[in-house]
Amino acid sequence: MDVTTDQKTTRPTAAWSAVFALSLCASTLVASEFMPVSLLTPIAHSLHLTEGQAGQAISISGLFAILTSLFISAATRGIDRRRVLLCLTGVTLVSGIVVAFAPNYPLFMAGRALVGMAVGGFWSMSAATMIRIVPSKDVSRALAVLNGGNALATTIAAPLGSFLGQYIGWRGAFFCVVPIAALTLLWQFVTLPGMPSREHASASAAFRVLRRPGVAYGMLAAALFFLGQFSLFTYLRPFFETVTRIDVTTISALLLVMGVAGLAGTSLIGFVIRQRLYACLVIMPLAMAAIAVALTAFGASLAATVALMFLWGFVGTAAPVGWWTWVSTALPDDAEAGGGVMVAVVQLAITMGAAGGGVMFDHSGYRATFLFSAVILVLSSLVILIGALRRRARADAPCAACVPASRAL
C-alpha cells in the first residue's frame, strides 16, 4: 500500500501520539458502554426500576451504535475525519454528564443513546483511521495498541465501577468518565492530522458484503455469539447478589478476576487463531455455553463461581479477536465495509441479548436467562461450523470459479 498524504505530513512521534490518544478514547468508550453492568442494582433502586429495565441501558446504547455504524460514513461524506472523531469524543463527554445528572429514566436513557452513537461511529472508523495516520508497516502495531485500550477497559471498567459505586454512588462513577473524555478530546485535538473524507459510497454500500460467499454465515454466527454472551453477562451482578450471595466488595474482586482472565485470553489467542481460526470460533461458544449451564448448577458456591467467571472472562474477552480476524480473512479487499457491518451486527446482538435477557430475568429468573444464553451460544457454534464446512467444500471444488470464493468463510 502506498503511503498516503496524511502519513507523509505527519511526524512519526505525532502519529504515535495520535494512536495512543485513540487508544485512550477506545478505553473511555468501552468503559462508558459497559459500566451499567456493575452498577445495575443501584441504578435500578435510584431510578425506581427493575434490574431488567436498568439493563436496557446496554440495549439502548447498542441500538444507537448499530444505526451510527451503518450510516456514519454516508452521513459525514465530505467532512474531514479528524473533525468527525473529535465530535464523537465530544459526544462521549456530553453523555457522561447527562447520565450522571439524569433525574429520571428517560433522560438516563437519552445519555446512554449518546454513548451508543459515539461507540458505533468510533469503531466503524477506527481501522481506516489507523491506516491513514501511520505508515503501512506499522498499521498492525497501531491496531494492537488500539485494541489494547479496549482490553484494558474491559478489564477494569466493571470492577472499578462497582468499587467507585460504593463510595461516590453510581452517578459519581459515571461522572468519572467526563474528565477522561475531556483529556482525550484535548489530546486528539493536538495530535490528530487532517484527514479529508474519501467516502463516496451510498448508505446501502455496507450491506453488499453480505452477498459474498460465506459472509452471511460468519455474520450470523457472530450475532448469535454476542447475543448469547450479553444475555448472561449483563445480569451478573444481580446473580451474584441473589444466588452467590456476596457483597459489593467481593463482586468488584470477582469482576476484576474476569478482567485479568480476559487480558490473559486476549494475549494468548493470537498464537492459536493463526493456524486454527475456525476451530477457535467453534469451540469458544461451546465452552461459554457449558459455563452458563454450570452457573445454574453451582452458582451458590463462591469457589465454583470464581472458577467459572475466570473461564468466562478468559474465553469471552478473547473471542472478539477471533471475529475481527475472521473479517480480515473473509473480506481482505473490503475490510472497511465488513468492519462496519460487523460493528452493527455485534451491537444489535448486544442490544437483543440485554433486552431479551432482562425480560427473562424479571419474569422467569436467572436460570431461564442463563439457559437461554447457553442455547444461543451452541447455535453460534453450529452456524460457524456449517460455514466452515461449506468453505472447505468450495476450496476442494475443482472449479476455477470457486477459488476466489474460498477466501470467504
Side-chain angles (χ1 to χ4, degrees), residues 161-183:
S162 178
F163 177 79
L164 291 174
Q166 295 180 78
Y167 300 102
I168 59 177
W170 69 268
R171 295 180 186 276
F174 273 102
F175 189 79
C176 287
V177 171
V178 174
I180 300 175
L183 173 62

Side-chain angles (χ1 to χ4, degrees), residues 142-157:
L143 289 172
V145 170
L146 180 70
N147 285 289
N150 182 11
L152 177 63
T154 303
T155 300
I156 67 173

Side-chain angles (χ1 to χ4, degrees), residues 29-80:
L29 285 169
V30 172
S32 299
E33 185 177 15
F34 297 120
M35 195 174 289
V37 171
S38 61
L39 297 168
L40 214 59
T41 303
I43 290 171
H45 290 166
S46 175
L47 297 177
H48 308 292
L49 309 169
T50 67
E51 280 85 356
Q53 289 173 323
Q56 306 312 315
I58 299 290
S59 303
I60 192 70
S61 62
L63 174 61
F64 277 83
I66 294 165
L67 297 174
T68 306
S69 65
L70 289 175
F71 303 114
I72 189 170
S73 292
T76 59
R77 186 168 44 201
I79 302 176
D80 191 293

Side-chain angles (χ1 to χ4, degrees), residues 340-374:
V341 175
M342 179 60 84
V343 170
V345 164
V346 170
Q347 291 297 331
L348 177 61
I350 291 173
T351 301
M352 294 176 64
V359 171
M360 297 186 75
F361 194 94
D362 284 344
H363 293 282
S364 303
Y366 77 91
R367 282 192 175 86
T369 302
F370 285 20
L371 292 176
F372 170 77
S373 170

